[in-house]
Amino acid sequence: MSDAHGVARDQLRAFIERIERLEEEKKTIADDIKDVYGEAKGVGFDTKILRKVIQIRKQDKDERMEQEAILDTYLQALGMVDLPPDAE
C-alpha cells in the first residue's frame, strides 16, 4: 500500500511542479505583453483601442458582424449616430 501512496505522491508532485512552471511562464508572458503595450503607448498608440482591436481579431467574421449590427442598432435607437440617408 505504501508503494501506491508513493506513486500517487510522486504524480501529485509532478503535476504541481508542472503547473508552477506554467504559471511562471504565464507571468513572464503577461509581463512581456505589458511591456509591448507600454512601448506602443510610448509612441502614441491608445492601448485601450489596441486591446479592443485584439479582442475583435479573436472573433470570427460572422460573430463580429452580428455584434457590430446590434451595436449600430442600439446606438441609432439612442440617437447617438445618424441614420444613413437612404434609411430615413
Side-chain angles (χ1 to χ4, degrees):
M1 187 84 165
S2 66
D3 284 344
H5 287 300
V7 170
R9 183 180 55 238
D10 292 343
Q11 284 181 322
L12 176 61
R13 180 174 287 121
F15 284 129
I16 296 296
E17 289 172 356
R18 284 174 52 199
I19 291 167
E20 288 172 341
R21 280 192 304 275
L22 291 169
E23 289 289 343
E24 185 58 37
E25 289 176 27
K26 183 169 72 171
K27 182 187 177 314
T28 300
I29 290 170
D31 289 343
D32 291 347
I33 291 169
K34 182 179 176 184
D35 291 344
V36 172
Y37 278 114
E39 289 176 38
K41 184 176 184 176
V43 295
F45 289 102
D46 184 319
T47 57
K48 287 182 189 177
I49 301 302
L50 289 177
R51 291 178 194 280
K52 185 67 175 173
V53 168
I54 290 168
Q55 177 188 15
I56 290 169
R57 286 173 51 106
K58 288 179 183 178
Q59 297 173 340
D60 86 351
K61 183 180 177 183
D62 292 335
E63 179 185 1
R64 185 175 64 245
M65 289 175 56
E66 179 182 355
Q67 285 186 7
E68 288 173 359
I70 293 169
L71 176 61
D72 190 50
T73 300
Y74 287 6
L75 293 175
Q76 287 177 14
L78 295 169
M80 297 176 70
V81 294
D82 294 330
L83 291 172
D86 61 335
E88 293 184 43

